[in-house]
Amino acid sequence: MANDLSDEQLRAIYAWIDAIPLSRPKKNMARDFSDGVMLAEVVAAYFPQLVEVHNYPAANNIRQKVYNHETLNTKVLKKLGFSIPRETIEDIVNAKPGVIEGVLNTLQIKMAKYRERKASGGGDDQSQREAPPQKQLNKDNYAVPESQPPRREQ
């Protein structure tokens, strides 16, 4: 994935990541992002309502790393219109050089499109839901039960 990126694109990705406050210092991109925690933090920096970072524990165990990425895929990235293929997850978890940069590049593009959709009123599932009906209040600002018609002022 990253092999398709130019040096300019890579520099832009590194500068973008450096500008985001993350919980751990960035030393080796492939290893730092292998457990999914920092990827969750990147999304949370822009869309905190989409990610509950505490659901992504730091991990050294490959099984937990894969679980973190799969959880991120199903609960968060799906809302951005993005999914990391299983093979790519395995490459990220195994800290294969250059893979995370391609994922971050795609993620940056998908987050920009998501932001545009939200700004234009497209939004996600929550914005498509119908608003709850407004409760009717009496003169003392108490909710009027739905079974009774509102009383008229005399």
Side-chain angles (χ1 to χ4, degrees):
M1 250 183 175
N3 299 342
D4 299 339
L5 300 176
S6 69
D7 287 342
E8 185 178 318
Q9 287 173 310
L10 287 172
R11 276 193 295 276
I13 290 168
Y14 296 143
W16 175 57
I17 294 300
D18 286 339
I20 299 171
L22 299 170
S23 63
R24 301 186 298 232
K26 296 163 288 294
K27 297 176 184 172
N28 177 312
M29 289 287 281
R31 273 187 278 145
D32 295 338
F33 280 85
S34 70
D35 64 2
V37 174
M38 291 175 73
L39 196 59
E41 291 176 352
V42 168
V43 177
Y46 292 90
F47 305 107
Q49 74 279 8
L50 292 181
V51 183
E52 295 180 29
V53 178
H54 67 271
N55 287 334
Y56 304 92
N60 292 321
N61 178 326
I62 287 182
R63 187 175 301 142
Q64 181 64 46
K65 290 179 180 185
V66 169
Y67 179 79
N68 283 354
H69 282 284
E70 287 176 345
T71 302
L72 196 61
N73 240 358
T74 57
K75 294 187 182 270
V76 178
L77 300 180
K78 176 175 77 171
K79 294 176 185 173
L80 297 172
F82 178 45
S83 179
I84 302 172
R86 176 68 185 207
E87 183 180 307
T88 304
I89 288 175
E90 289 174 11
D91 288 344
I92 294 168
V93 164
N94 290 310
K96 185 174 178 185
V99 175
I100 193 62
E101 289 86 348
V103 170
L104 290 170
N105 185 57
T106 305
L107 177 64
Q108 190 177 33
I109 293 165
K110 295 294 185 177
M111 288 192 328
K113 288 180 181 177
Y114 180 79
R115 187 180 304 114
E116 288 172 14
R117 280 196 318 267
K118 294 286 284 182
S120 68
D124 56 42
D125 293 342
Q126 287 183 337
S127 66
Q128 301 297 326
R129 291 186 190 140
E130 200 174 294
Q134 294 290 326
K135 296 258 183 197
Q136 208 162 14
L137 303 178
N138 65 14
K139 67 179 182 175
D140 298 321
N141 287 330
Y142 291 110
V144 175
E146 291 180 27
S147 61
Q148 296 177 357
R151 291 179 15 196
R152 292 187 180 194
E153 294 291 323
Q154 294 180 351

